[in-house]
Amino acid sequence: MTAITPEFAFLPPPIPSVEISGTEQRFPVHRIYCVGRNYAEHAREMGSDPKVEPPVFFTKPADAIVPSGGAIPYPPRTANLHYEVELVVAIGGAGRNIAAGQARRHIFGYAVGNDLTRRDLQGASKKKGLPWDTGKAFDASAPIGAIRPVSLGHVERGRIWLAVNGEIRQQSDVSEMIWGVPEIIAELSTLFELKAGDLIYTGTPAGVGPLNPGDRIECGIEGLESLRNTITAAHATK
């Protein structure tokens, strides 16, 4: 039985954290926000019109992160697990109603992420007008590479890509985002108070597709450390 402490009924779980490039320190994760439909071609492949529909914001649990090199069990209740490579913004300073022109002051750094999606469950939710949680916010659904501190520069452009088993599946440029990072931070901060430790997955280019057990995924953005993971067989049912 888990030990009882003076303050808690049981020991709290460890704080999720992400490696920071060039240091032994780690970035403690507070919340994970995600942006949908933020590249025009991806919006079109998902059946949306990028000219009239703004990005959709949704969330994932902080403990959904998986580091580069980590194995990802194929999730339950899906037959259509998809990859989505994304630029991730790590927030280092709290703020509400942040002006786009001030947004960079709140950025700690940048990383490569993969917004894994149970596409069949997401699609079923969309048809019924239900939340996306079952399709987006599941265990190990937010792989992320090491965070590069903003002191090394902001990421405004550069090749973004994803390969499965060595074959390129997604490829674009970060500059092709419909909403840039400052605009995302400004809009998101009108809905939530952003805090140090937040991660923002900023949307994926066209080319999303399925993954299977045994697949090796490599994601990259120019100037950032690559993200590499392997999909393993599903967890055994207990």
Side-chain angles (χ1 to χ4, degrees):
M1 178 180 292
T2 304
I4 299 175
T5 74
E7 295 178 289
F8 302 106
F10 52 85
L11 291 174
I15 298 173
S17 64
V18 181
E19 178 185 356
I20 301 172
S21 297
T23 178
E24 295 298 318
Q25 292 183 319
R26 298 184 65 84
F27 182 89
V29 180
H30 175 245
R31 292 178 179 172
I32 299 176
Y33 299 100
C34 304
V35 182
R37 301 195 295 259
N38 201 27
Y39 286 78
E41 289 303 316
H42 175 60
R44 294 188 185 99
E45 76 177 347
M46 299 306 293
S48 300
D49 185 347
K51 295 181 180 180
V52 299
E53 295 189 33
V56 173
F57 293 108
F58 57 93
T59 63
K60 292 175 181 276
D63 63 1
I65 60 172
V66 181
S68 184
I72 301 170
Y74 195 93
R77 301 288 294 273
T78 185
N80 196 18
L81 175 67
H82 275 206
Y83 52 79
E84 297 188 10
V85 63
E86 312 204 356
L87 171 68
V88 180
V89 179
I91 298 297
R96 187 192 298 273
N97 296 318
I98 300 167
Q102 303 298 317
R104 287 182 175 175
R105 298 182 179 182
H106 297 263
I107 298 174
F108 177 87
Y110 299 89
V112 180
N114 188 357
D115 169 20
L116 294 176
T117 303
R118 292 192 280 206
R119 192 70 72 197
D120 43 2
L121 299 190
Q122 184 196 28
S125 295
K126 284 183 177 180
K127 289 180 181 178
K128 297 177 181 179
L130 298 175
W132 294 6
D133 297 63
T134 57
K136 288 287 192 177
F138 52 94
D139 297 338
S141 62
I144 183 171
I147 296 171
R148 190 191 77 181
V150 75
S151 59
L152 297 177
H154 288 278
V155 179
E156 297 178 328
R157 58 184 51 83
R159 180 176 176 245
I160 178 173
W161 56 274
L162 179 145
V164 178
N165 300 325
E167 178 184 347
I168 295 292
R169 300 287 181 84
Q170 289 184 276
Q171 187 164 221
S172 185
D173 193 283
V174 171
S175 63
E176 295 297 316
M177 289 196 297
I178 299 170
W179 285 21
V181 170
E183 290 75 26
I184 291 171
I185 291 174
E187 178 67 13
L188 191 59
S189 71
T190 68
L191 297 168
F192 305 92
E193 181 181 2
L194 298 182
K195 295 186 177 181
D198 288 341
L199 297 173
I200 306 174
Y201 284 58
T202 60
T204 194
V208 299
L211 292 166
N212 297 292
D215 282 345
R216 294 174 289 102
I217 314 158
E218 184 172 6
C219 310
I221 295 174
E222 187 177 337
L224 302 180
E225 291 191 25
S226 296
L227 170 63
R228 299 177 178 86
N229 299 102
T230 301
I231 304 298
T232 63
H235 281 305
T237 301
K238 294 184 179 180

